[in-house]
Amino acid sequence: MEAKKVEDKSPWLGRSIGRLEDKALLLGRGRFIDDLGAPPGTLEAAILRSPHAHARIDRIETARARALPGVTAVLTGKDIEALTAPLLGVLKAAAHSFPIAIDRVLYVGEPVAIALATDRYIAEDALDLIEVVYEALPPVIDPRAALLADAPLLHPGLASNLVSDRSFRYGDPESAFAQAAFRVAIDTRYPRNAATPIETYGVLADYDPGADAYDVLSNFQGPFSLHPVIAKALKVPGNRLRLRSPPDCGGSFGVKEGVFPYIVLIAAAARAAGRTVKWIEDRLEHLAASSCATGRLTHLEAAVTGEGRILALDWDQIEDVGATLRAPEPATLYRMHANMTGAYDIRHLKIRNRVVLTNKMPSGLNRGFGGPQVYFPLERLMQRIARKLGLDPLAVIRRNLIAKEAFPYRTATGGFLDSGDYQGAVAAALEEGGIEELYRRREEARAEGRLYGIGFAAVVEPSVSNMGYITTVLTAEERRRAGQKSGAQATATVAIDPLGALTVKVASVPQGQGHRTVLSQIVADIFGLEPEAVSVRADLDTAKDGWSIASGNYSSRFAPAVAGAAFLAASRLRARLQRIAASQLNVAADEIVFAEGRVSARGNPENALSFSRLAASPHWAPQSLPQGEESALSETVFWTPPQLAPPNDKDEINSSLCYGFIFDICALEVDRVTGELRIDRYVSMHDCGPLLHPAMVAGQVNGGFAHGLGAALFEEQVYDGEGNLLTGTFADYLIPTVKEVPAPMVLHRHTPSPLTPLGAKGVGEGNAMSTPVTIANAAADALGLDEVTLPLQPSTLAPRLYGPERRRKEKTLARGRDAVRE
C-alpha cells in the first residue's frame, strides 16, 4: 500500500491555515439547498402528518384541498403506493414500510398526505382542508412492554414487536463468571435524542417520463448504500436515479441519512404531478418526524477479581428503533460490535441483542451512533465495580486497559485495534489535566458540605465503518444466502486542466467540516503549490462522479479514508508528472523536485520549468510524453482497506478500520438548592493519529463535547403514554447554547494508524460517546449514587437531593402544625 511516512514534515498539512470555505459563508454566499433555486413551474410540497401514535386510517377526504386555487395535486398513501415499492431493510422479517402511511399510522408525525401547490403557503393551507378519519388503536411506547405477548402489534404481518433477537458468545464467559470473586451488574437506560442541525431536510425532485428516470437534489449525507434502496423503492434501475448533493450543507451529525424516505416520497410526488417538486422541512417536522438516536435498555454484568480485574462481560441490550426498522438500522446496535469491550483487555464475552418496535419516530444515525449507547453502561459499570470493591475508579480503569505492547490488538469479538498507548495517554491526561488539584478541590468542597464529584471515562473511537458490520444481525447461514458484504471504499480524483490547474473531487458530502481546506493542503504539499492553487469539489453527483455504496460522510471517515484516497491519487499523478518532467529535463525521475510552483532537478535547481507548463503539457502536446506514458490528465483512486472483511462464521467482525482513544476527566459541583450541575473542569485527551489541521480537530472535539453535554444534561425525546411527543419544539426539547457549554481542556497524543495512508484516525464523534458518561460518573460521585439516568436535569436529581415529594410535603405540614401549636 502506498503510504506517507508519518515523520515527514509537510509545509501545509498539519498547519491550521485559514479555511477556504469561510469567505463565502461569512459573506452570506453559501450554496445550500434552499439557495440554489428551482426550475420555472416547480411545485412546493407540504406534508400532512398524523396526530396519533397508532391508528387505522378509515377515510381521507381531499376534494376541498384539491379545489383550492394554486393546488395542483393532493396525494395520499394509496397514490404513493401505486408508484413505489416498499423501502428495503436489513432484515427481511421486518414489516414492509413506505415513506407515507397507507392504511395505518404508527407514530405521531408520520406522513399521511402531501399537497403540491404553486407555493408553500398555499400547500400549507391545503392541508387544513384535508379531512382524515382515524380509528385510534392502542399504542405501545415502552420497549419492555412492547416485548410482552399481549402487547399491541405495530405490524400485523409480524408475530411480535421483536424483529431481531441474536445471542453471541466469545471465549468462555461461563467459566469466567463461575471462577470470579464478584459479579457486578448495572441496568441503564440511554434516552432517544436528536441531532438538531441548523439546516433541516431538503429535496428537489424531477421525473423524466421519456427516460423513466429521476433527478434528485437533496442534502442527503450518505451512506450511498441507500442509493439502491431509493432506486428500488422508485422502481427504477440505479442508473436512472441521479442523486446530487448541494455544495454546502448546514450540519448533519448523522440525521441527514434519514432524508432518504422523503427523497422517495417527493420523487414519487413529482412523477404523479408531472412537475418538479421542492420540499424543505420545517423545524417542527424535523423534531417530530425526521430521525433520532435509538433508545437502549442495557443490563450489563461483569465477572470481577478482588483487585478489580474484569474477566468477562455479559451484555443484554434492548434497542428501541421506533415504528419501523428503517435502513441502515440496526446499524446503531452493531456498529460497536468489534469493540464491545471498549479500551479494556477482556477476553470472555456474552451478548444478547434485541431489536424492538414502538410507536415512535423511526431511529437512524446520530453523532457517534452506537458509541454513547455502549459506553454509558460500560463506563458506569467501571465506577460501580470500584464502589462495590472499595477501590479507586481510576485504578479500576487503569488495571483493565489494553497494554501498549499488545497493539495491534484483536478483541474477543474480532475487532482489530490498530494502534495506541492507552496507559500513556491516561497518565498524560492526569498530569496535564491537574488531577491532584482536582482531588484537593473535591476534598475542600466536601469539607464545606458541598456536592463535588470527579468522573472518568476511557473509550475507543472507531472510524471508517466496515460496510459489512450490519450483517452481523444475520446468522452465518443467512449471510451466506444474502451474499457477503464488507469493506469501506473511498474515492478521489485529482485532475489537471489545460492551464495546469489542479482539481480534486471526492465522493464525500461535507456538512461544514472543512473538506476543501484539508484536501487542498494535502495536494498542495504533493505538488509544491499553495493551497489556494488547488480547487476542491465535494458535492456528489451519481450520474457523473466516481462513487461507491460506501461514499458519503459518516463514521469519521474523512481524515482516514477520503483524505487518504486523495493523497494516493495525487501521489500517483505526481509520479506520472515526475516521469514526464524527467524526460524534459533529461534527469532521472527520482531526481525531480516539486516546490514553490516549479519543477526542477534536485542536483541542479536551474534545470527547471514551471509546474503549470509541465502539468499542461499532456493536454497541449500529448505526443511529447515519454514512452509508456499514455496520459497524465487525471488519476482516480478507489481505496479499499483489506482489513475490513465480512463477519465470519463465529460472528467475529472488525466493524471499523481504525480506532482512536479518548480519556476524559470531569470535575463538577451539584448545587444543593437548585440541583444545577456546574462543570468546574473538563479534560479530554485524544489519540486520533496525526492532526491534519489542528484547528479543525479542535472544532470537531468541541462540537462533539457540546453534543455530549447536551445528551448528559438536556436532551431527550419524550413521549407520553399515548405516544404524543412532548418535546416537539425547542421550548421543550432543550439543547445547550454557548452559555451552557464550558471550554474543555483538549489534549493530544499521537499513535499513527499503520492502516491509513496518512496515519490519521477519526476524531469527529468521540466526545459524543465519552462526555455523557463522564459527566454522569462525576455526578454519581458527587451525590454518592449507584444509579443515574440521563439527562441529568434538576428535576430528576431533586428526589436524590431532597427525598420523595410526599415526604417533603408531610414534613412541611408537620412544621406548620407545630408552629400553630406554639
Side-chain angles (χ1 to χ4, degrees), residues 590-615:
D590 60 5
E591 286 295 308
I592 295 297
V593 175
F594 293 77
E596 298 179 348
R598 290 169 56 81
V599 184
S600 61
R602 192 184 309 277
N604 181 12
E606 299 301 317
N607 184 17
L609 69 161
S610 70
F611 174 81
S612 60
R613 179 175 176 179
L614 170 68

Side-chain angles (χ1 to χ4, degrees), residues 561-707:
V562 177
F567 168 78
L568 295 177
S571 297
R572 293 180 187 178
L573 186 58
R574 171 187 158 124
R576 288 186 176 189
L577 290 177
Q578 278 183 306
R579 293 191 287 271
I580 295 171
S583 69
Q584 295 184 20
L585 300 180
N586 199 28
V587 297
D590 60 5
E591 286 295 308
I592 295 297
V593 175
F594 293 77
E596 298 179 348
R598 290 169 56 81
V599 184
S600 61
R602 192 184 309 277
N604 181 12
E606 299 301 317
N607 184 17
L609 69 161
S610 70
F611 174 81
S612 60
R613 179 175 176 179
L614 170 68
S617 61
H619 282 278
W620 299 107
Q623 76 282 357
S624 69
L625 300 183
Q627 187 174 3
E629 288 297 331
E630 295 181 358
S631 173
L633 303 180
S634 68
E635 186 71 52
T636 298
V637 164
F638 289 87
W639 180 69
T640 299
Q643 292 79 14
L644 299 183
N648 63 22
D649 285 354
K650 297 180 181 179
D651 291 315
E652 295 168 338
I653 176 68
N654 184 28
S655 47
S656 295
L657 175 64
C658 42
Y659 299 83
F661 176 71
I662 304 170
F663 179 70
D664 284 0
I665 307 168
C666 178
L668 59 77
E669 185 171 349
V670 181
D671 190 294
R672 282 190 179 275
V673 176
T674 66
E676 179 185 5
L677 274 71
R678 291 192 287 265
I679 293 177
D680 183 28
R681 181 179 301 173
Y682 198 99
V683 180
S684 191
M685 167 63 78
H686 287 253
D687 178 1
C688 60
L691 307 185
L692 306 187
H693 190 292
M696 289 191 197
V697 169
Q700 288 294 313
V701 172
N702 278 270
F705 172 70
H707 268 102

Side-chain angles (χ1 to χ4, degrees), residues 164-436:
S164 176
D165 186 352
R166 286 224 63 200
S167 294
F168 305 87
R169 180 181 178 278
Y170 304 94
D172 188 1
E174 293 83 5
S175 295
F177 273 98
Q179 297 167 12
F182 297 94
R183 298 171 71 109
V184 183
I186 191 166
D187 290 284
T188 64
R189 181 187 69 89
Y190 197 86
R192 289 164 61 96
N193 46 39
T196 62
I198 293 175
E199 182 193 42
T200 56
Y201 290 170
V203 181
L204 183 71
D206 186 49
Y207 173 71
D208 179 353
D212 187 25
Y214 292 91
D215 188 339
V216 177
L217 175 71
S218 177
N219 51 14
F220 172 65
Q221 72 164 78
F224 276 73
S225 56
L226 294 172
H227 181 277
V229 174
I230 299 170
K232 288 279 189 182
L234 291 172
K235 300 182 180 180
V236 294
N239 61 0
R240 294 184 185 174
L241 170 62
R242 181 187 186 189
L243 182 55
R244 297 177 288 128
S245 66
D248 292 312
C249 182
S252 174
F253 318 115
V255 74
K256 282 183 179 148
E257 160 273 331
V259 73
F260 83 92
Y262 289 102
I263 293 175
V264 176
L265 178 61
I266 301 304
R271 179 173 183 173
R275 302 260 290 274
T276 303
V277 175
K278 179 180 180 179
W279 172 71
I280 302 295
E281 180 187 52
D282 67 34
R283 181 61 61 183
L284 298 180
E285 290 180 291
H286 189 80
L287 285 171
S290 58
S291 178
C292 69
T294 59
R296 186 175 299 176
L297 301 174
T298 302
H299 176 80
L300 178 59
E301 191 166 1
V304 189
T305 69
E307 295 75 33
R309 182 78 174 84
I310 299 174
L311 304 177
L313 292 175
D314 186 351
W315 289 88
D316 189 344
Q317 304 181 109
I318 299 175
E319 193 85 335
D320 179 358
V321 297
T324 187
L325 189 63
R326 181 180 288 171
E329 293 286 38
T332 303
L333 186 57
Y334 283 90
R335 182 194 176 199
M336 311 295 288
H337 201 81
N339 49 289
M340 291 297 291
T341 49
Y344 305 116
D345 183 14
I346 303 170
R347 303 311 307 167
H348 307 287
L349 193 62
K350 290 173 65 178
I351 304 172
R352 185 184 185 188
N353 289 339
R354 283 176 281 178
V355 180
V356 182
L357 302 177
T358 60
N359 289 111
K360 302 173 189 171
M361 178 203 313
S363 67
L365 311 186
N366 196 347
R367 193 172 194 166
F369 65 103
Q373 291 90 341
V374 163
Y375 291 128
F376 186 74
L378 181 58
E379 295 302 305
R380 287 289 301 122
L381 179 68
M382 302 304 284
Q383 189 178 72
R384 176 70 64 84
I385 290 170
R387 283 176 62 84
K388 181 166 183 175
L389 274 61
L391 301 172
D392 178 2
L394 184 57
V396 175
I397 289 174
R398 300 179 86 169
R399 193 160 291 148
N400 286 282
L401 287 174
I402 299 166
K404 178 181 179 180
E405 55 272 15
F407 287 96
Y409 176 88
R410 181 71 69 177
T411 70
T413 50
F416 187 71
L417 307 190
D418 48 322
S419 65
D421 178 6
Y422 297 173
Q423 294 283 5
V426 168
L430 294 171
E431 181 179 355
E432 297 178 52
I435 189 62
E436 294 302 326

